[in-house]
Amino acid sequence: MIWFFSNRKVTLQLYEQNLELAVKNKTLSLLGNLYHTSTQTLTPEEMAKAITDVVQKDLNLEFAAIYRLDKNKNLLSILSFSGSERFFRTIYDLNLSIDNLVIKDVSKNDISAGLFSDSSDSFIINDIGSIWKNSISEENVLGIKNKSHIKTVLVNVLLVGKKVLGVLFLGFNRDYQALSKFEKESIKNITDPVALLLYKAYLYRDIKRA
């Protein structure tokens, strides 16, 4: 009996070590792909699209999107949106387009508390419908909730210094809290590189305009 529990403990330790190694390898691959993106001279829109394509694919997300904040219009507009085949099929079945998924009345949205908080640059949304409730009909909100299979959305504010460059939304088809600590660390580690890539693209655009 002691031998059984000892073996079980070793097996669990090996499983955790293998999981950590797999996550680290995936993180290195993702950061490598982002680094490749950094070697290109792109507009902010092109850079954002390259980023969300890589992140959505490498993390196997239902969607990855970068929004830009317009405080004067109280609006989050879409800079780039990448999604799974299932997510886009859901949108098209509802006769929507990605352009419909702007986030209006941000200050009245459930995400505003986290977005304008100084305490954290990331937070979790468990009700995906609350994101677009001020932008599309209640029927379409329910359609996205019921058909997209998205369980959790992680919202990351993209900061360089104190300047908000955008907001990165990551849509998971499982509960974010159920992810291992290694997976959470991996996801957290991409936020700063993404912000810097976006900053580089804006800087390049401004230099080109000068």
Side-chain angles (χ1 to χ4, degrees):
M1 185 63 72
I2 294 175
W3 174 86
F4 171 80
F5 284 112
S6 177
N7 263 0
R8 185 179 181 186
K9 183 177 180 181
V10 170
T11 301
L12 288 173
Q13 288 176 338
L14 287 174
Y15 172 77
E16 288 185 358
Q17 289 174 358
N18 288 335
L19 178 60
E20 181 179 6
L21 182 60
V23 171
K24 284 182 177 179
N25 287 337
K26 180 182 284 190
T27 304
L28 289 173
S29 174
L30 175 53
L31 291 175
N33 288 332
L34 288 176
Y35 173 76
H36 174 71
T37 301
S38 75
T39 64
Q40 304 174 61
T41 303
L42 303 173
T43 65
E45 291 78 10
E46 291 169 338
M47 181 65 79
K49 180 58 177 170
I51 290 169
T52 57
D53 280 351
V54 166
V55 172
Q56 186 273 325
K57 180 181 178 182
D58 285 12
L59 294 180
N60 193 28
L61 301 171
E62 290 301 317
F63 78 88
I66 295 177
Y67 283 70
R68 51 187 158 198
L69 176 63
D70 187 332
K71 288 186 177 181
N72 293 329
K73 294 183 179 180
N74 200 20
L75 176 76
L76 280 169
S77 60
I78 297 170
L79 193 60
S80 174
F81 204 111
S82 303
S84 66
E85 181 181 346
R86 175 167 55 192
F87 182 83
F88 282 123
R89 187 169 61 246
T90 297
I91 296 301
Y92 297 144
D93 285 349
L94 294 170
N95 292 318
L96 295 171
S97 73
I98 294 303
D99 292 337
N100 295 127
L101 301 182
V102 297
I103 301 175
K104 299 178 180 178
D105 298 327
V106 176
S107 61
K108 299 178 183 177
N109 194 293
D110 294 348
I111 69 173
S112 64
L115 189 59
F116 298 111
S117 170
D118 294 328
S119 60
S120 176
D121 57 3
S122 67
F123 54 97
I124 296 168
I125 295 175
N126 291 314
D127 179 9
I128 184 175
S130 66
I131 300 174
W132 297 300
K133 66 179 183 180
N134 295 326
S135 305
I136 58 178
S137 70
E138 184 176 349
E139 180 182 357
N140 283 332
V141 166
L142 289 173
I144 293 175
K145 287 176 64 174
N146 294 333
K147 296 179 181 180
S148 68
H149 291 252
I150 295 171
K151 305 298 182 186
T152 311
V153 177
L154 181 65
V155 184
N156 303 276
V157 182
L158 301 175
L159 296 165
V160 172
K162 293 186 177 181
K163 182 178 177 61
V164 178
L165 295 178
V167 185
L168 174 66
F169 289 78
L170 305 178
F172 296 83
N173 56 18
R174 50 185 173 150
D175 184 357
Y176 177 78
Q177 298 293 10
L179 300 181
S180 72
K181 65 177 182 179
F182 310 118
E183 290 174 298
K184 291 177 182 177
E185 288 172 3
S186 172
I187 294 164
K188 184 177 180 180
N189 286 338
I190 71 170
T191 304
D192 286 344
V194 166
L196 288 173
L197 285 175
L198 204 53
Y199 177 74
K200 176 190 173 184
Y202 278 116
L203 190 62
Y204 168 75
R205 183 199 65 184
D206 293 343
I207 292 173
K208 192 175 181 180
R209 285 178 176 177

